């Protein structure tokens, strides 16, 4: 129905992209986005590295693979239309040891299956032509990988929603969701708003908000903090484009890498340490409620049993700049603790199944007229416009 009211919980980039897509595809629909914070994009979107991923890493046929390739094209066009930053710096996925070459070859085949544009293998000498200060013995070069400003994009999505007649209700912390005859009531401590359908894009709190809607308990969100170093301004010339390691398929995080930003700075990182709060951007931020919830979940103990060695290594990097930079020095030889300063941090909402499996693909549940985005990790920002298309088609059954 064109005169429906559609509610969306969460004003991160996925929620805002979805609201915008509904407004575009279903004129006359009233979109209301509920956001607990005083601004949009304050959490995962606002702490994003700014990379527009080309689709190299993802399992062929997965939602991640399909929606990332589609999302890049949509995002590039959107940024060009709105004069938002979008710079194709290119990316090197670099092997620094012989035992990584097999994994790199597998990654190349995966990327080809995902139709990653213009990806090529490069030799040690060709690496130096692209990145004169880099180490590495071989690499994959993705020239179309880009950087952007996701917070600026999210603000523009919010503007699109309001200009179409919708609302972005800031400071509206959802405390209750109730299905009532003919609709859904979304409550904060101060008021209740009735909508016809509801889409949950709550990021770090996606499992909690889904619980309000009577969705099943799994997967549970486990927050991982990613901390960054910044190259000192007189050292940023050492890096031209993105420099990444060959990922370890046993672990969902990519490892420490070099990331130029649109403001000219260069980040080094992130590590991946278990955060002690869902919004635990610092070591000192602790939430007893979040910790108790994690301790009570069997999947958390099973995950710890599988990955405790990696966890110890990551915590060393959190406590010691020298340890943090030890891996980074393999990719830019000679770069160490004296070349960086502490940067910011983000928290990734990592979904975890009851058996201890870290959920890799996007995951979306349905509970009647409620749709819950239960897992939307990186590259969700890259794929946000394509994720929005997928959700709207799924919810409304139109193309």
């Amino acid at each position: 129905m064109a005169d429906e009211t559609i509610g969306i919980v969460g004003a991160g980039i996925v929620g805002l992209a979805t609201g915008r897509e509904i407004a575009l595809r279903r004129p006359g629909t009233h979109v209301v986005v509920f956001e607990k914070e005083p601004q949009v994009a304050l959490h995962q979107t606002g702490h994003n590295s700014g990379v527009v991923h080309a689709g190299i890493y993802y399992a062929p046929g997965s939602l991640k693979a399909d929606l990332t390739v589609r999302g890049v094209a949509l995002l590039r066009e959107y940024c060009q239309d709105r004069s938002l930053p979008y710079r194709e710096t290119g990316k090197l996925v670099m092997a620094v040891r012989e035992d990584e070459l097999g994994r790199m070859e597998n990654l190349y085949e995966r990327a080809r299956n995902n139709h990653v544009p213009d990806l090529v293998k490069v030799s040690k000498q060709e690496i130096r032509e692209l990145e004169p200060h880099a180490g590495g013995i071989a690499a994959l070069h993705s020239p179309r990988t880009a950087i952007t400003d996701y917070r600026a994009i999210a603000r523009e999505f919010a503007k699109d929603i309001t200009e179409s007649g919708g609302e972005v209700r800031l400071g509206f912390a959802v405390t209750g969701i109730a299905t009532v005859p003919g609709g859904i009531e979304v409550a904060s401590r101060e008021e209740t708003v009735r909508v016809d359908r509801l889409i949950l894009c709550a990021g770090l709190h996606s499992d909690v908000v889904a619980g309000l809607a009577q969705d099943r308990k799994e997967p549970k969100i486990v927050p991982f903090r990613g901390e960054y170093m910044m190259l000192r301004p007189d050292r940023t010339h050492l890096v031209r484009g993105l420099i990444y390691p060959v990922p370890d398929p046993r672990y969902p995080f990519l490892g420490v890498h070099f990331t130029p930003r649109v403001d000219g700075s260069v980040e080094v990182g992130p590590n991946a340490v278990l955060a002690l709060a869902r919004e635990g951007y610092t070591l000192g931020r602790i939430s007893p409620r979040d910790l108790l919830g994690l301790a009570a979940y069997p999947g958390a103990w099973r995950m710890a049993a599988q990955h405790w060695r990696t966890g110890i290594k990551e915590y060393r990097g959190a406590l010691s700049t020298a340890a943090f930079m030890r891996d980074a020095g393999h990719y830019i030889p000679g770069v160490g603790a004296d070349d960086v300063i502490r940067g910011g941090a983000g928290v990734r909402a990592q979904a975890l199944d009851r058996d201890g499996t870290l959920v890799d693909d996007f995951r979306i549940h349905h509970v009647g007229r409620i749709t819950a985005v239960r897992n939307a990790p990186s590259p969700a920002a890259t794929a946000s416009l394509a994720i929005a298309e997928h959700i709207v088609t799924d919810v409304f059954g139109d193309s």
Side-chain angles (χ1 to χ4, degrees), residues 7 185 219 361:
E185 291 184 344
D361 205 2

Side-chain angles (χ1 to χ4, degrees), residues 92 121-131:
L92 284 174
K121 300 176 188 178
V122 295
S123 66
K124 183 174 182 177
Q125 181 174 339
E126 289 169 323
I127 289 172
R128 306 299 181 271
E129 293 170 3
L130 293 164
E131 292 284 357

Side-chain angles (χ1 to χ4, degrees), residues 38-83:
Q39 300 175 37
V40 304
L42 275 190
H43 291 293
Q44 291 187 103
T45 304
H47 293 84
N48 193 288
S49 66
V51 177
V52 183
H53 294 281
I56 296 171
Y57 307 102
Y58 318 121
S62 65
L63 273 179
K64 270 191 178 184
D66 294 343
L67 297 182
T68 299
V69 173
R70 169 71 176 158
V72 171
L74 294 172
L75 194 68
R76 183 192 307 115
E77 181 180 2
Y78 187 85
C79 289
Q80 290 170 347
D81 288 347
R82 303 304 175 94
S83 298

